[in-house]
Amino acid sequence: MKIANDADVSTVAWQSADCIELQFPKFTDGRAYSQAYLLRRRLGFTGELRATGDVLVDQVLLMQRSGFSSAVLRDDQSLAHAQRQLSQFTDFYQGDADHPQALFAAQGASA
């Protein structure tokens, strides 16, 4: 299922979808980040979220943190470089779509 980047995801009938494609018409248009986060955190979507369109290597880490599970890179982008980007950082101070609690709060809870 494809959802346009100007759609309100809370009003789209996505509940039966296994995979949702969110569009990046330009790499400078970040509305799909918000859509991904809303689908994951507020609406409870557990299927595949795929980023399509003008997707650059520099965006994949933020896409992952926003809730995307896959991305279709622009033709001139390197898959190997994107994979390195995803493995470069292992911990973040801020919460994200998968781990909403901040690092310091999570560490304080386990201490």
Side-chain angles (χ1 to χ4, degrees):
M1 160 181 230
K2 291 182 181 182
I3 298 178
N5 75 333
D6 59 351
D8 178 354
V9 294
S10 65
T11 64
V12 175
W14 54 264
Q15 289 78 4
S16 63
D18 294 328
C19 176
I20 297 176
E21 290 185 7
L22 300 176
Q23 307 290 315
F24 285 85
K26 297 179 183 179
F27 76 91
T28 57
D29 187 337
R31 290 178 282 186
Y33 291 113
S34 298
Q35 289 175 316
Y37 191 84
L38 288 170
L39 282 164
R40 287 282 188 230
R41 295 297 307 152
R42 292 197 185 153
L43 301 174
F45 181 71
T46 58
E48 180 179 356
L49 280 180
R50 182 179 304 147
T52 61
D54 196 18
V55 177
L56 305 178
V57 167
D58 295 347
Q59 296 171 290
V60 295
L61 186 60
L62 182 56
M63 287 177 177
Q64 181 184 48
R65 298 196 68 223
S66 298
F68 285 97
S69 46
S70 65
V72 179
L73 296 172
R74 201 169 70 182
D75 288 340
D76 64 342
Q77 300 296 293
S78 164
L79 178 59
H81 187 76
Q83 290 169 327
R84 282 193 305 274
Q85 288 287 90
L86 291 173
S87 64
Q88 189 169 5
F89 299 101
T90 58
D91 292 314
F92 301 94
Y93 289 115
Q94 310 90 349
D96 60 29
D98 289 332
H99 304 95
Q101 194 171 31
L103 181 64
F104 66 87
Q107 289 175 342
S110 64

